[in-house]
Amino acid sequence: MQDYQAPPKPKSKGLWPVMGLLMAIALGIIAYFIAPSVQRMVIQITKGGFTGQELPPDQMRLFFTGLVFLVLGSVAALIVAFAKPKPKRKVMDADMVKQKDAMRHEEKVRKARKLVIERELKKSNKRLD
């Protein structure tokens, strides 16, 4: 008698949205504290073109917080995209083309066989008459 083994449970992905939200909150907090440094760096790089006084200080900090948040979020998304394992069932276009060519070839062979069988049947029917 064989021992029954239950199939392995698939990995739960139910908490991924929650982890994404926590990561977004963490990136927002990091961006809020980095924003003044980035603002000073931009002022130094532009050399007078941008003074940092174009908006009230609170709005300027929120603007740079949003900018830093977008950059950090983009970097995090790229890291997650590159780290994600490839799906096992990924179908390549080249494989699909090969399969279609094989199916077309099989169809041609099947039609040729059918014609040969029909000819033989006609010949055998004529002999009987």
Side-chain angles (χ1 to χ4, degrees):
M1 184 187 247
Q2 291 181 344
D3 293 333
Y4 174 75
Q5 291 182 349
K9 289 184 179 180
K11 294 181 181 178
S12 176
K13 298 178 183 178
L15 292 178
W16 284 16
V18 175
M19 291 189 320
L21 178 65
L22 291 175
M23 186 174 83
I25 292 171
L27 289 178
I29 293 170
I30 292 169
Y32 183 77
F33 287 110
I34 292 177
S37 301
V38 174
Q39 182 179 355
R40 283 191 298 272
M41 186 175 64
V42 170
I43 291 171
Q44 289 175 356
I45 291 173
T46 57
K47 297 180 183 176
F50 175 74
T51 62
Q53 304 298 324
E54 287 80 8
L55 292 173
D58 291 339
Q59 288 181 359
M60 189 60 73
R61 184 171 187 169
L62 288 177
F63 171 76
F64 276 98
T65 299
L67 189 67
V68 172
F69 176 77
L70 288 175
V71 171
L72 290 177
S74 299
V75 170
L78 283 173
I79 291 171
V80 169
F82 283 125
K84 178 183 172 191
K86 291 183 179 179
K88 294 178 182 176
R89 291 186 173 190
K90 186 174 183 182
V91 178
M92 298 294 213
D93 289 338
D95 293 339
M96 289 180 65
V97 169
K98 288 179 185 177
Q99 288 177 354
K100 283 184 179 182
D101 289 341
M103 288 173 54
R104 288 180 188 137
H105 179 70
E106 288 176 14
E107 186 67 27
K108 286 180 183 179
V109 170
R110 195 177 308 125
K111 285 182 181 181
R113 249 190 252 137
K114 184 178 176 181
L115 288 173
V116 169
I117 291 171
E118 287 177 356
R119 285 182 200 151
E120 289 177 6
L121 282 174
K122 285 181 182 179
K123 285 181 186 178
S124 65
N125 285 340
K126 286 181 182 180
R127 290 182 194 160
L128 293 175
D129 290 337

